[in-house]
Amino acid sequence: MTLTGHDFANAGSKLKYYKERWQLSDDGRAFATNSSLLQPVIYKRLRCMLKITATDVEQRGNLLMLWYNSNCVPQILECDGRALLMERAIGNTSLKEMVKCGEDDQATHIICSVIAKLHAQSKPYPAGLVPLSIWFGALKPAVDKYGGIFYKCNEIADQLLSDPIDPVVLHDDIHHGNILDSGTRGWLAIDPKGLTGERGFDFANMFCNPDTETATKPGRLARQMKIISEEANIEPKRVLQWIAAWAGLSAA
C-alpha cells in the first residue's frame, strides 16, 4: 500500500483495525492527506469512505459530522471520534469542474445553499466546539511580529468578534472541494472543523477558491460579493470585513 500526504505511523494496522471492527472490504486504494487517512470501502453493500484522523481538529470535525448527520452531510454509519465511516459521494458533478467550464456563479449558488442547511441546524450544540474568539488568537502573534496588514486584519476581526450577528455552529472550511455531489441526495458538505461564531465567517473562504487564477480574475470579487450577500442576506460590508479577517488569520 502506497500512501501520499501525511506520514501516518502504522497506517496499515490502523486501517486493518477499523476494517475488521466495522466489517469493511476494500473498494479502492488508501490515501493520506495532511491530517487524515482515507480509503474507499464497502459496508453492508454500501459504497462508503473510511476516514481516520490524526489531529484534534479533525477528530472534532468527525464528531460534528455525526451531529449534523442530516440532509447537508453524507450519512454517518459509524463514528468513534478518531475514525468515521460515511456514505461516499458518487455523483458525477464537481464544483471545481463547474468553475473551469464557466459556471463559477452557479457553483457559488450551490455552496450558499449548502451553507444555509448547515447553519439551520437548531439542536443543542455538541461539546468541544471552539469559539471564533479563541480561534482568532492565532492572529495576534503575526500582528506583533509583522504589523502592517496584519494589524488592520486584527482590528477588523476584533470589531466583528465583539458584536457577533447570528451565531451558529460553523463548518470553518467551506470551499469547492468540500462540497460534493452525492447524486440522489444532492450536494453535501464534508470536513468541518467545529467552531462557533457569526455565520458570516463561513462565507469568507469561498472568495479565495477554487484556485488563485479564478479568485484574482478582474471583477470576480464584486460579482461573488453580490451573489453571496443576496443569498445569505448579509450586508456586503460585513462580508468584506470577514474576508479581511479570515485572510489575515489564514496568512498568520
Side-chain angles (χ1 to χ4, degrees):
M1 174 177 60
T2 301
L3 295 176
T4 59
H6 188 86
D7 182 19
F8 275 79
N10 303 314
S13 62
K14 293 176 181 177
L15 287 168
K16 181 180 178 182
Y17 170 78
Y18 281 103
K19 285 190 284 189
E20 290 179 350
R21 177 180 175 183
W22 291 334
Q23 299 182 333
L24 311 174
S25 58
D26 296 352
D27 194 39
R29 295 175 65 86
F31 61 96
T33 67
N34 288 330
S35 60
S36 301
L37 175 65
L38 300 102
Q39 184 171 12
V41 294
I42 299 294
Y43 173 75
K44 297 180 180 178
R45 299 185 180 180
L46 299 175
R47 298 169 71 182
C48 300
M49 184 67 74
L50 172 63
K51 176 182 178 182
I52 304 171
T53 59
T55 67
D56 291 341
V57 171
E58 292 295 327
Q59 289 178 24
R60 186 169 66 241
N62 280 354
L63 293 174
L64 183 54
M65 286 284 283
L66 184 62
W67 178 80
Y68 280 129
N69 211 0
S70 64
N71 65 345
C72 54
V73 299
Q75 181 183 3
I76 307 305
L77 302 163
E78 299 283 357
C79 180
D80 69 356
R82 185 166 169 268
L84 181 75
L85 181 68
M86 61 184 165
E87 163 196 5
R88 201 184 328 160
I90 56 175
N92 296 321
T93 309
S94 158
L95 292 181
K96 290 182 179 180
E97 290 301 316
M98 286 179 64
V99 173
K100 288 181 181 179
C101 294
E103 299 181 75
D104 189 15
D105 293 357
Q106 293 90 325
T108 298
H109 282 293
I110 289 170
I111 295 173
C112 286
S113 69
V114 174
I115 293 176
K117 292 179 181 178
L118 291 169
H119 289 176
Q121 305 298 306
S122 59
K123 46 194 173 181
Y125 288 6
L129 301 184
V130 176
L132 272 183
S133 56
I134 294 177
W135 200 245
F136 267 89
L139 182 52
K140 300 295 192 295
V143 175
D144 296 338
K145 185 174 182 180
Y146 301 108
I149 191 65
F150 286 101
Y151 178 85
K152 186 61 178 177
C153 291
N154 185 66
E155 184 179 53
I156 293 171
D158 282 345
Q159 293 173 0
L160 293 167
L161 294 170
S162 67
D163 185 25
I165 300 173
D166 297 334
V168 296
V169 173
L170 296 165
H171 181 286
D172 180 44
D173 197 19
I174 295 289
H175 59 75
H176 297 67
N178 275 347
I179 308 294
L180 306 180
D181 176 16
S182 72
T184 57
R185 293 189 58 220
W187 295 93
L188 304 175
I190 60 169
D191 290 347
K193 306 309 177 194
L195 306 181
T196 59
E198 183 175 326
R199 66 186 180 90
F201 175 80
D202 259 349
F203 295 90
N205 192 22
M206 295 168 57
F207 287 87
C208 294
N209 280 282
D211 52 61
T212 302
E213 180 182 359
T214 300
T216 56
K217 282 183 178 178
R220 201 253 185 177
L221 174 63
R223 193 179 71 252
Q224 296 299 302
M225 172 68 62
K226 185 175 187 297
I227 293 172
I228 290 170
S229 177
E230 292 177 353
E231 287 270 341
N233 192 26
I234 301 174
E235 288 293 327
K237 179 182 177 180
R238 195 80 175 181
V239 179
L240 283 170
Q241 288 175 315
W242 276 119
I243 294 171
W246 176 88
L249 177 64
S250 179

